[in-house]
Amino acid sequence: MHRQHSKRTVKSLHLGALHFLLNSCLVAISTGFLISGFVLNNDDLLKYAAASGITTIVSIVAFFIANIGWHCPLCMGKIWAGSRCRRHRNAKKALGISYRLHIAKAVLFSKSYRCPYCGELFSTRRTRR
């Protein structure tokens, strides 16, 4: 298992995982407001959907700006950016939906994650020096 190089990389990995989960929740909330607003024909819910949609777009843009440089320390594949590279056979999807969601969940809850491109296991702890 490989360890991270510095405290800064560990911190940015955790913040990136939290921000990705926040964006996933925001997308679900704004979609829920939009669907319920149309089904119930409620203008207030549609206003909430518009506000949460704008917040979601701003948060996603901020996420990609903040995490554009984060990559796998070994293969240099971009973890948070959706590149079209071939995935490793050991890469897993969370809920059968997203590789990035699985990485975010693993970083926050299991303290290790597997790179979806090279398949190596990484710890979220800093290297001892």
Side-chain angles (χ1 to χ4, degrees):
M1 181 181 305
H2 303 283
R3 290 182 180 246
Q4 301 298 325
H5 297 292
S6 67
K7 259 188 200 178
R8 182 174 166 246
T9 58
V10 171
K11 205 180 276 189
S12 69
L13 181 63
H14 282 281
L15 287 175
L18 283 172
H19 202 171
F20 186 80
L21 289 177
L22 172 74
N23 288 342
S24 300
C25 291
L26 283 174
V27 167
I29 289 170
S30 61
T31 303
F33 276 140
L34 187 66
I35 290 171
S36 62
F38 279 127
V39 169
L40 299 174
N41 199 15
N42 189 341
D43 290 336
D44 289 336
L45 288 176
L46 290 174
K47 289 177 186 176
Y48 293 146
S52 64
I54 291 170
T55 305
T56 302
I57 291 170
V58 168
S59 180
I60 288 172
V61 169
F63 172 75
F64 282 115
I65 289 171
N67 291 303
I68 199 162
W70 181 255
H71 52 81
C72 172
L74 190 62
C75 71
M76 303 307 256
K78 301 239 182 226
I79 300 285
W80 299 119
S83 67
R84 299 194 185 268
C85 295
R86 186 179 179 109
R87 308 278 191 212
H88 193 267
R89 66 178 179 270
N90 293 337
K92 296 179 184 176
K93 289 182 179 180
L95 304 172
I97 299 171
S98 172
Y99 292 103
R100 293 182 285 178
L101 187 60
H102 181 73
I103 291 171
K105 179 188 66 83
V107 165
L108 293 176
F109 300 118
S110 70
K111 303 300 181 197
S112 65
Y113 69 96
R114 185 175 299 276
C115 175
Y117 302 112
C118 65
E120 290 293 321
L121 194 61
F122 289 94
S123 174
T124 58
R125 297 195 177 111
R126 190 173 76 87
T127 302
R128 291 181 223 152
R129 293 190 186 206

